[in-house]
mmCIF file of all heavy atoms in Angstrom:
data_model
loop_
_atom_site.group_PDB
_atom_site.id
_atom_site.type_symbol
_atom_site.label_atom_id
_atom_site.label_comp_id
_atom_site.label_asym_id
_atom_site.label_seq_id
_atom_site.Cartn_x
_atom_site.Cartn_y
_atom_site.Cartn_z
ATOM 1 N N ASN A 1 9.707 -6.872 -10.090
ATOM 2 C CA ASN A 1 8.453 -7.623 -9.778
ATOM 3 C C ASN A 1 7.225 -6.666 -9.857
ATOM 4 O O ASN A 1 6.466 -6.596 -8.913
ATOM 5 C CB ASN A 1 8.558 -8.288 -8.433
ATOM 6 C CG ASN A 1 9.687 -9.259 -8.328
ATOM 7 O OD1 ASN A 1 10.037 -9.867 -9.270
ATOM 8 N ND2 ASN A 1 10.279 -9.372 -7.113
ATOM 9 N N LYS A 2 7.024 -6.124 -11.031
ATOM 10 C CA LYS A 2 5.933 -5.118 -11.159
ATOM 11 C C LYS A 2 4.587 -5.756 -11.101
ATOM 12 O O LYS A 2 3.604 -5.100 -10.687
ATOM 13 C CB LYS A 2 6.146 -4.287 -12.398
ATOM 14 C CG LYS A 2 7.397 -3.432 -12.338
ATOM 15 C CD LYS A 2 7.637 -2.640 -13.554
ATOM 16 C CE LYS A 2 8.908 -1.837 -13.358
ATOM 17 N NZ LYS A 2 9.264 -1.019 -14.450
ATOM 18 N N VAL A 3 4.470 -7.015 -11.498
ATOM 19 C CA VAL A 3 3.134 -7.672 -11.472
ATOM 20 C C VAL A 3 2.712 -7.865 -9.995
ATOM 21 O O VAL A 3 1.575 -7.578 -9.643
ATOM 22 C CB VAL A 3 3.180 -9.026 -12.178
ATOM 23 C CG1 VAL A 3 1.876 -9.810 -11.955
ATOM 24 C CG2 VAL A 3 3.402 -8.787 -13.666
ATOM 25 N N GLU A 4 3.632 -8.332 -9.161
ATOM 26 C CA GLU A 4 3.310 -8.514 -7.732
ATOM 27 C C GLU A 4 2.966 -7.179 -7.080
ATOM 28 O O GLU A 4 1.994 -7.083 -6.300
ATOM 29 C CB GLU A 4 4.460 -9.167 -7.003
ATOM 30 C CG GLU A 4 4.677 -10.620 -7.315
ATOM 31 C CD GLU A 4 5.623 -10.865 -8.501
ATOM 32 O OE1 GLU A 4 5.935 -9.870 -9.251
ATOM 33 O OE2 GLU A 4 6.093 -11.992 -8.618
ATOM 34 N N LEU A 5 3.711 -6.132 -7.438
ATOM 35 C CA LEU A 5 3.454 -4.817 -6.892
ATOM 36 C C LEU A 5 2.054 -4.356 -7.289
ATOM 37 O O LEU A 5 1.333 -3.823 -6.466
ATOM 38 C CB LEU A 5 4.521 -3.785 -7.321
ATOM 39 C CG LEU A 5 4.360 -2.390 -6.769
ATOM 40 C CD1 LEU A 5 4.360 -2.364 -5.278
ATOM 41 C CD2 LEU A 5 5.451 -1.501 -7.339
ATOM 42 N N TRP A 6 1.694 -4.488 -8.579
ATOM 43 C CA TRP A 6 0.386 -4.103 -9.055
ATOM 44 C C TRP A 6 -0.667 -4.870 -8.299
ATOM 45 O O TRP A 6 -1.703 -4.262 -7.846
ATOM 46 C CB TRP A 6 0.284 -4.392 -10.548
ATOM 47 C CG TRP A 6 -0.985 -3.840 -11.113
ATOM 48 C CD1 TRP A 6 -1.217 -2.539 -11.557
ATOM 49 C CD2 TRP A 6 -2.180 -4.566 -11.282
ATOM 50 N NE1 TRP A 6 -2.515 -2.442 -12.028
ATOM 51 C CE2 TRP A 6 -3.151 -3.628 -11.864
ATOM 52 C CE3 TRP A 6 -2.595 -5.838 -11.051
ATOM 53 C CZ2 TRP A 6 -4.460 -4.026 -12.143
ATOM 54 C CZ3 TRP A 6 -3.927 -6.249 -11.355
ATOM 55 C CH2 TRP A 6 -4.836 -5.323 -11.912
ATOM 56 N N ASP A 7 -0.496 -6.165 -8.042
ATOM 57 C CA ASP A 7 -1.511 -6.905 -7.327
ATOM 58 C C ASP A 7 -1.650 -6.377 -5.869
ATOM 59 O O ASP A 7 -2.758 -6.303 -5.369
ATOM 60 C CB ASP A 7 -1.111 -8.413 -7.235
ATOM 61 C CG ASP A 7 -1.262 -9.148 -8.592
ATOM 62 O OD1 ASP A 7 -2.033 -8.653 -9.463
ATOM 63 O OD2 ASP A 7 -0.660 -10.193 -8.725
ATOM 64 N N ILE A 8 -0.565 -6.076 -5.243
ATOM 65 C CA ILE A 8 -0.594 -5.501 -3.906
ATOM 66 C C ILE A 8 -1.331 -4.160 -3.873
ATOM 67 O O ILE A 8 -2.183 -3.940 -3.052
ATOM 68 C CB ILE A 8 0.828 -5.346 -3.318
ATOM 69 C CG1 ILE A 8 1.412 -6.745 -2.985
ATOM 70 C CG2 ILE A 8 0.818 -4.473 -2.067
ATOM 71 C CD1 ILE A 8 2.856 -6.726 -2.644
ATOM 72 N N GLU A 9 -1.022 -3.366 -4.840
ATOM 73 C CA GLU A 9 -1.680 -2.021 -4.911
ATOM 74 C C GLU A 9 -3.165 -2.161 -5.123
ATOM 75 O O GLU A 9 -3.974 -1.423 -4.540
ATOM 76 C CB GLU A 9 -0.999 -1.142 -5.994
ATOM 77 C CG GLU A 9 0.385 -0.724 -5.637
ATOM 78 C CD GLU A 9 1.166 -0.069 -6.776
ATOM 79 O OE1 GLU A 9 0.679 -0.177 -7.986
ATOM 80 O OE2 GLU A 9 2.190 0.527 -6.554
ATOM 81 N N GLN A 10 -3.560 -3.117 -5.971
ATOM 82 C CA GLN A 10 -4.997 -3.353 -6.208
ATOM 83 C C GLN A 10 -5.678 -3.846 -4.972
ATOM 84 O O GLN A 10 -6.772 -3.475 -4.634
ATOM 85 C CB GLN A 10 -5.178 -4.322 -7.353
ATOM 86 C CG GLN A 10 -4.754 -3.801 -8.698
ATOM 87 C CD GLN A 10 -5.357 -2.445 -9.023
ATOM 88 O OE1 GLN A 10 -6.616 -2.335 -9.076
ATOM 89 N NE2 GLN A 10 -4.587 -1.418 -9.228
ATOM 90 N N PHE A 11 -5.005 -4.749 -4.237
ATOM 91 C CA PHE A 11 -5.585 -5.235 -3.014
ATOM 92 C C PHE A 11 -5.714 -4.144 -1.968
ATOM 93 O O PHE A 11 -6.769 -4.052 -1.298
ATOM 94 C CB PHE A 11 -4.681 -6.379 -2.421
ATOM 95 C CG PHE A 11 -5.120 -6.853 -1.055
ATOM 96 C CD1 PHE A 11 -6.248 -7.646 -0.941
ATOM 97 C CD2 PHE A 11 -4.332 -6.564 0.084
ATOM 98 C CE1 PHE A 11 -6.690 -8.055 0.331
ATOM 99 C CE2 PHE A 11 -4.746 -6.994 1.341
ATOM 100 C CZ PHE A 11 -5.909 -7.724 1.463
ATOM 101 N N VAL A 12 -4.681 -3.293 -1.822
ATOM 102 C CA VAL A 12 -4.750 -2.188 -0.904
ATOM 103 C C VAL A 12 -5.957 -1.286 -1.175
ATOM 104 O O VAL A 12 -6.627 -0.787 -0.254
ATOM 105 C CB VAL A 12 -3.424 -1.441 -0.850
ATOM 106 C CG1 VAL A 12 -3.570 -0.082 -0.127
ATOM 107 C CG2 VAL A 12 -2.332 -2.231 -0.230
ATOM 108 N N LEU A 13 -6.255 -1.062 -2.458
ATOM 109 C CA LEU A 13 -7.421 -0.235 -2.842
ATOM 110 C C LEU A 13 -8.779 -0.819 -2.321
ATOM 111 O O LEU A 13 -9.737 -0.076 -2.158
ATOM 112 C CB LEU A 13 -7.490 -0.092 -4.337
ATOM 113 C CG LEU A 13 -6.387 0.784 -4.939
ATOM 114 C CD1 LEU A 13 -6.452 0.757 -6.512
ATOM 115 C CD2 LEU A 13 -6.440 2.242 -4.390
ATOM 116 N N THR A 14 -8.805 -2.098 -2.096
ATOM 117 C CA THR A 14 -10.047 -2.742 -1.605
ATOM 118 C C THR A 14 -10.203 -2.647 -0.075
ATOM 119 O O THR A 14 -11.284 -2.942 0.438
ATOM 120 C CB THR A 14 -10.123 -4.214 -1.994
ATOM 121 O OG1 THR A 14 -9.174 -4.995 -1.235
ATOM 122 C CG2 THR A 14 -9.942 -4.362 -3.465
ATOM 123 N N LEU A 15 -9.141 -2.232 0.617
ATOM 124 C CA LEU A 15 -9.185 -2.241 2.085
ATOM 125 C C LEU A 15 -9.841 -0.929 2.604
ATOM 126 O O LEU A 15 -9.776 0.100 1.993
ATOM 127 C CB LEU A 15 -7.804 -2.322 2.655
ATOM 128 C CG LEU A 15 -7.016 -3.603 2.312
ATOM 129 C CD1 LEU A 15 -5.578 -3.489 2.858
ATOM 130 C CD2 LEU A 15 -7.711 -4.819 2.917
ATOM 131 N N ASP A 16 -10.426 -1.071 3.782
ATOM 132 C CA ASP A 16 -10.981 0.127 4.464
ATOM 133 C C ASP A 16 -9.841 1.042 4.820
ATOM 134 O O ASP A 16 -8.786 0.640 5.318
ATOM 135 C CB ASP A 16 -11.691 -0.379 5.758
ATOM 136 C CG ASP A 16 -12.408 0.728 6.492
ATOM 137 O OD1 ASP A 16 -12.003 1.892 6.402
ATOM 138 O OD2 ASP A 16 -13.436 0.408 7.152
ATOM 139 N N LYS A 17 -9.984 2.327 4.545
ATOM 140 C CA LYS A 17 -8.973 3.313 4.748
ATOM 141 C C LYS A 17 -8.514 3.371 6.192
ATOM 142 O O LYS A 17 -7.403 3.769 6.522
ATOM 143 C CB LYS A 17 -9.405 4.702 4.283
ATOM 144 C CG LYS A 17 -9.764 4.700 2.816
ATOM 145 C CD LYS A 17 -8.569 4.333 1.885
ATOM 146 C CE LYS A 17 -9.013 4.403 0.455
ATOM 147 N NZ LYS A 17 -8.547 3.280 -0.311
ATOM 148 N N GLU A 18 -9.389 2.962 7.132
ATOM 149 C CA GLU A 18 -9.063 2.985 8.541
ATOM 150 C C GLU A 18 -8.019 1.974 8.911
ATOM 151 O O GLU A 18 -7.392 2.043 9.948
ATOM 152 C CB GLU A 18 -10.362 2.725 9.394
ATOM 153 C CG GLU A 18 -11.409 3.800 9.277
ATOM 154 C CD GLU A 18 -10.894 5.149 9.816
ATOM 155 O OE1 GLU A 18 -10.249 5.161 10.876
ATOM 156 O OE2 GLU A 18 -11.140 6.188 9.134
ATOM 157 N N LEU A 19 -7.824 0.971 8.049
ATOM 158 C CA LEU A 19 -6.815 -0.057 8.274
ATOM 159 C C LEU A 19 -5.426 0.311 7.834
ATOM 160 O O LEU A 19 -4.469 -0.364 8.149
ATOM 161 C CB LEU A 19 -7.217 -1.367 7.539
ATOM 162 C CG LEU A 19 -8.511 -1.977 7.931
ATOM 163 C CD1 LEU A 19 -8.865 -3.144 7.023
ATOM 164 C CD2 LEU A 19 -8.550 -2.401 9.376
ATOM 165 N N LEU A 20 -5.348 1.474 7.104
ATOM 166 C CA LEU A 20 -4.071 1.868 6.511
ATOM 167 C C LEU A 20 -3.417 3.005 7.226
ATOM 168 O O LEU A 20 -4.068 3.933 7.743
ATOM 169 C CB LEU A 20 -4.330 2.305 5.027
ATOM 170 C CG LEU A 20 -5.030 1.250 4.174
ATOM 171 C CD1 LEU A 20 -5.327 1.850 2.803
ATOM 172 C CD2 LEU A 20 -4.285 -0.037 4.090
ATOM 173 N N VAL A 21 -2.103 3.045 7.193
ATOM 174 C CA VAL A 21 -1.344 4.161 7.732
ATOM 175 C C VAL A 21 -1.391 5.350 6.715
ATOM 176 O O VAL A 21 -1.720 5.106 5.527
ATOM 177 C CB VAL A 21 0.109 3.789 8.042
ATOM 178 C CG1 VAL A 21 0.202 2.748 9.129
ATOM 179 C CG2 VAL A 21 0.900 3.381 6.792
ATOM 180 N N SER A 22 -1.039 6.513 7.127
ATOM 181 C CA SER A 22 -0.983 7.638 6.227
ATOM 182 C C SER A 22 0.122 7.415 5.205
ATOM 183 O O SER A 22 1.054 6.602 5.388
ATOM 184 C CB SER A 22 -0.721 8.893 6.982
ATOM 185 O OG SER A 22 0.600 8.899 7.539
ATOM 186 N N GLU A 23 0.086 8.165 4.095
ATOM 187 C CA GLU A 23 1.161 8.060 3.094
ATOM 188 C C GLU A 23 2.498 8.390 3.679
ATOM 189 O O GLU A 23 3.551 7.813 3.376
ATOM 190 C CB GLU A 23 0.816 8.979 1.923
ATOM 191 C CG GLU A 23 1.814 8.853 0.765
ATOM 192 C CD GLU A 23 1.913 7.451 0.094
ATOM 193 O OE1 GLU A 23 0.857 6.714 0.175
ATOM 194 O OE2 GLU A 23 2.963 7.151 -0.455
ATOM 195 N N GLU A 24 2.517 9.445 4.548
ATOM 196 C CA GLU A 24 3.727 9.842 5.217
ATOM 197 C C GLU A 24 4.314 8.730 6.054
ATOM 198 O O GLU A 24 5.561 8.475 6.009
ATOM 199 C CB GLU A 24 3.495 11.085 6.068
ATOM 200 C CG GLU A 24 4.693 11.618 6.802
ATOM 201 C CD GLU A 24 4.407 12.823 7.679
ATOM 202 O OE1 GLU A 24 3.377 13.504 7.447
ATOM 203 O OE2 GLU A 24 5.202 13.086 8.586
ATOM 204 N N GLU A 25 3.535 8.029 6.834
ATOM 205 C CA GLU A 25 3.954 6.959 7.659
ATOM 206 C C GLU A 25 4.407 5.757 6.802
ATOM 207 O O GLU A 25 5.424 5.091 7.095
ATOM 208 C CB GLU A 25 2.871 6.469 8.577
ATOM 209 C CG GLU A 25 3.252 5.296 9.523
ATOM 210 C CD GLU A 25 4.344 5.620 10.486
ATOM 211 O OE1 GLU A 25 4.624 6.811 10.787
ATOM 212 O OE2 GLU A 25 4.946 4.627 11.004
ATOM 213 N N TYR A 26 3.728 5.526 5.722
ATOM 214 C CA TYR A 26 4.078 4.431 4.806
ATOM 215 C C TYR A 26 5.480 4.665 4.232
ATOM 216 O O TYR A 26 6.310 3.848 4.240
ATOM 217 C CB TYR A 26 3.043 4.314 3.676
ATOM 218 C CG TYR A 26 3.506 3.419 2.579
ATOM 219 C CD1 TYR A 26 3.496 1.999 2.762
ATOM 220 C CD2 TYR A 26 3.867 3.887 1.325
ATOM 221 C CE1 TYR A 26 3.956 1.134 1.763
ATOM 222 C CE2 TYR A 26 4.316 3.035 0.320
ATOM 223 C CZ TYR A 26 4.323 1.693 0.551
ATOM 224 O OH TYR A 26 4.742 0.859 -0.445
ATOM 225 N N GLN A 27 5.711 5.904 3.802
ATOM 226 C CA GLN A 27 7.057 6.278 3.215
ATOM 227 C C GLN A 27 8.142 6.097 4.261
ATOM 228 O O GLN A 27 9.283 5.673 3.943
ATOM 229 C CB GLN A 27 7.034 7.668 2.622
ATOM 230 C CG GLN A 27 6.177 7.829 1.336
ATOM 231 C CD GLN A 27 6.566 6.856 0.238
ATOM 232 O OE1 GLN A 27 7.748 6.578 0.044
ATOM 233 N NE2 GLN A 27 5.654 6.332 -0.469
ATOM 234 N N LYS A 28 7.816 6.529 5.501
ATOM 235 C CA LYS A 28 8.817 6.365 6.575
ATOM 236 C C LYS A 28 9.154 4.887 6.781
ATOM 237 O O LYS A 28 10.360 4.497 6.914
ATOM 238 C CB LYS A 28 8.224 6.979 7.866
ATOM 239 C CG LYS A 28 9.112 6.836 9.075
ATOM 240 C CD LYS A 28 8.386 7.435 10.308
ATOM 241 C CE LYS A 28 9.095 7.005 11.544
ATOM 242 N NZ LYS A 28 8.334 7.387 12.745
ATOM 243 N N ARG A 29 8.128 4.082 6.863
ATOM 244 C CA ARG A 29 8.314 2.643 7.031
ATOM 245 C C ARG A 29 9.130 2.009 5.886
ATOM 246 O O ARG A 29 10.093 1.247 6.120
ATOM 247 C CB ARG A 29 6.974 1.884 7.173
ATOM 248 C CG ARG A 29 6.259 2.202 8.462
ATOM 249 C CD ARG A 29 4.938 1.521 8.510
ATOM 250 N NE ARG A 29 4.272 1.730 9.847
ATOM 251 C CZ ARG A 29 3.221 0.998 10.196
ATOM 252 N NH1 ARG A 29 2.732 0.055 9.448
ATOM 253 N NH2 ARG A 29 2.706 1.152 11.394
ATOM 254 N N ILE A 30 8.787 2.346 4.650
ATOM 255 C CA ILE A 30 9.464 1.845 3.506
ATOM 256 C C ILE A 30 10.917 2.245 3.519
ATOM 257 O O ILE A 30 11.792 1.402 3.184
ATOM 258 C CB ILE A 30 8.739 2.257 2.217
ATOM 259 C CG1 ILE A 30 7.457 1.500 2.038
ATOM 260 C CG2 ILE A 30 9.614 2.086 0.999
ATOM 261 C CD1 ILE A 30 7.620 -0.031 1.828
ATOM 262 N N THR A 31 11.165 3.447 3.864
ATOM 263 C CA THR A 31 12.597 3.936 3.933
ATOM 264 C C THR A 31 13.399 3.146 4.972
ATOM 265 O O THR A 31 14.510 2.715 4.697
ATOM 266 C CB THR A 31 12.562 5.413 4.324
ATOM 267 O OG1 THR A 31 11.933 6.199 3.311
ATOM 268 C CG2 THR A 31 14.045 5.963 4.495
#
């Protein structure tokens, strides 16, 4: 589902960085 993933990634780029977890935390959650 690469199209959906691309859409999500594009949406995340529009968000304020304060709303996002660190890359390390994201990888932990995804695992």
Side-chain angles (χ1 to χ4, degrees):
N1 298 329
K2 294 181 181 178
V3 171
E4 289 91 342
L5 180 59
W6 186 85
D7 288 341
I8 288 170
E9 290 171 346
Q10 294 305 303
F11 175 71
V12 167
L13 290 174
T14 69
L15 298 176
D16 186 329
K17 302 300 180 223
E18 295 297 316
L19 300 175
L20 307 176
V21 297
S22 68
E23 184 63 25
E24 180 181 339
E25 179 65 18
Y26 171 72
Q27 291 301 325
K28 177 182 165 187
R29 290 178 174 193
I30 287 296
T31 298

